[in-house]
């Protein structure tokens, strides 16, 4: 098992997007979307998916929610190593009980900055396999964005607001110096049942419970009143999910063994 943060694909802000293009009637007027039963194959090789602060509580029911990289990006951990996902099948189906982050649900649309015009531009990933010429749900109708595209634009607008809210939350954690490095450790068993040497499976940033307890009452009240304290507790509770990830990894390895033996 490898260090989770070392395998992070979160460089830049276009994870999953292979060919993002500014959406326009001239270029994309004939395109549409075909419904897909299992549309999330693009997530199947990604172990870390960004989450917004307001998603911490629902995401915590499925994944560890940790902070990674120089910018302390909050992410849901979906596998113990890069290049795989224990919650998404290769053909693109999420486990039915798993929370699907908004970062995934907004695909294939995304906002990009137009620095020259100081505005946001809606882009679409032209490489998305379910976007096709003459797709059943058009992107444009009568020369105007279709209801589907308008809904996507509203979702991306809301996502942008949540992204700004998440940045403010991270600034709060940084200003209060609440984040520390932490390790996720697994202790395997020897054949005789005794504990073997512990193995580090990830290193990441998390809120320090000791630092949180040491805050002055006024600062704790500030976190409580602005809603940040609830998000912090959701993050801390989510860290219990490392055991679930380890169990899923062993299940996947065990399921693959018979196939390897018959090869």
């Amino acid at each position: 098992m490898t260090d989770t943060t070392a395998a992070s694909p979160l460089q830049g802000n276009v994870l999953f997007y292979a060919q993002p293009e500014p959406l326009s009637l001239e270029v994309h007027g004939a395109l549409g979307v075909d419904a897909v039963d299992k549309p999330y194959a693009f997530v199947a090789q990604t172990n870390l998916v960004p989450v917004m602060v307001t998603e911490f509580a629902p995401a915590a029911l499925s994944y560890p929610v940790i902070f990674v990289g120089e910018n302390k990006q909050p992410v849901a951990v979906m596998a113990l190593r890069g290049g795989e996902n224990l919650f998404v099948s290769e053909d693109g189906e999420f486990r039915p009980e798993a929370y699907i982050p908004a970062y995934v649900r907004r695909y294939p649309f995304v906002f990009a900055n137009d620095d020259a015009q100081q505005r946001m531009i809606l882009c679409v990933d032209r490489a998305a396999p379910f976007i096709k010429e003459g797709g059943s749900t058009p992107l444009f109708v009568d020369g105007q964005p279709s209801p589907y595209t308008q809904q996507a634009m509203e979702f991306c607008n809301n996502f942008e607001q949540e992204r700004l809210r998440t940045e403010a939350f991270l600034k709060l954690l940084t200003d209060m110096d609440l984040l520390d490095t932490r390790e996720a450790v697994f202790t395997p068993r020897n054949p005789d049942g005794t504990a073997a040497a512990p193995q580090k499976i990830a290193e990441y940033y998390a809120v320090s419970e000791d630092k949180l307890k040491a805050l002055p009452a006024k600062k704790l009240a500030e976190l409580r009143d602005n809603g940040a304290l609830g998000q912090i507790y959701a993050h801390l509770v989510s860290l219990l999910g490392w055991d679930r990830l380890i169990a899923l990894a062993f299940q996947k390895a065990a399921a693959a063994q018979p196939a390897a033996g018959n090869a």
Side-chain angles (χ1 to χ4, degrees):
M1 299 179 182
T2 59
D3 186 309
T4 303
T5 56
S8 171
L10 303 174
Q11 303 302 317
N13 58 355
V14 289
L15 175 67
F16 302 141
Y17 296 82
Q19 190 181 337
E21 299 175 353
L23 187 66
S24 72
L25 176 64
E26 292 75 19
V27 177
H28 307 111
L31 297 183
V33 176
D34 282 340
V36 179
D37 288 337
K38 302 174 182 179
Y40 299 114
F42 64 93
V43 193
Q45 284 80 45
T46 302
N47 68 320
L48 303 177
V49 174
V51 288
M52 302 298 105
V53 63
T54 50
E55 298 182 281
F56 282 15
L61 298 175
S62 302
Y63 324 103
V65 175
I66 64 173
F67 302 89
V68 299
E70 183 178 348
N71 295 328
K72 313 294 193 299
Q73 168 75 57
V75 297
V77 185
M78 299 188 180
L80 298 176
R81 58 187 178 187
E84 72 175 12
N85 192 311
L86 298 171
F87 292 85
V88 183
S89 63
E90 292 295 327
D91 60 356
E93 183 176 27
F94 259 90
R95 285 177 174 264
E97 78 281 4
Y99 174 74
I100 303 177
Y103 195 101
V104 171
R105 286 182 277 123
R106 72 173 177 171
Y107 185 83
F109 297 97
V110 64
F111 269 137
N113 283 316
D114 181 354
D115 293 330
Q117 301 292 327
Q118 294 187 334
R119 60 175 181 168
M120 304 293 287
I121 299 176
L122 186 67
C123 297
V124 63
D125 187 1
R126 186 62 184 87
F130 41 81
I131 290 188
K132 302 175 182 178
E133 294 279 345
S136 58
T137 302
L139 299 185
F140 292 89
V141 175
D142 297 330
Q144 297 296 324
S146 68
Y148 173 83
T149 301
Q150 292 176 24
Q151 185 179 16
M153 187 176 298
E154 182 179 359
F155 188 93
C156 287
N157 267 320
N158 292 337
F159 184 92
E160 181 64 16
Q161 295 304 310
E162 294 301 327
R163 186 186 67 79
L164 296 175
R165 187 173 286 122
T166 302
E167 286 185 356
F169 174 77
L170 290 173
K171 185 177 186 305
L172 191 63
L173 296 186
T174 302
D175 289 347
M176 292 188 176
D177 190 29
L178 290 178
L179 291 174
D180 266 349
T181 56
R182 188 181 293 194
E183 294 180 351
V185 177
F186 166 62
T187 303
R189 292 286 173 179
N190 293 315
D192 62 1
T194 60
Q199 298 177 10
K200 183 175 77 170
I201 56 177
E203 184 174 343
Y204 56 94
Y205 294 101
V207 170
S208 165
E209 294 180 68
D210 290 338
K211 289 183 176 181
L212 187 63
K213 292 175 183 175
L215 283 178
K218 184 178 179 180
K219 289 292 185 181
L220 275 174
E222 178 185 339
L223 291 176
R224 179 199 64 207
D225 294 343
N226 63 21
L229 193 59
Q231 310 296 359
I232 288 172
Y233 284 141
H235 150 65
L236 290 172
V237 169
S238 81
L239 301 181
L240 299 173
W242 284 112
D243 288 342
R244 183 189 307 116
L245 273 183
I246 292 167
L248 289 173
F250 275 104
Q251 288 176 10
K252 182 176 181 179
Q257 282 180 354
N262 294 330

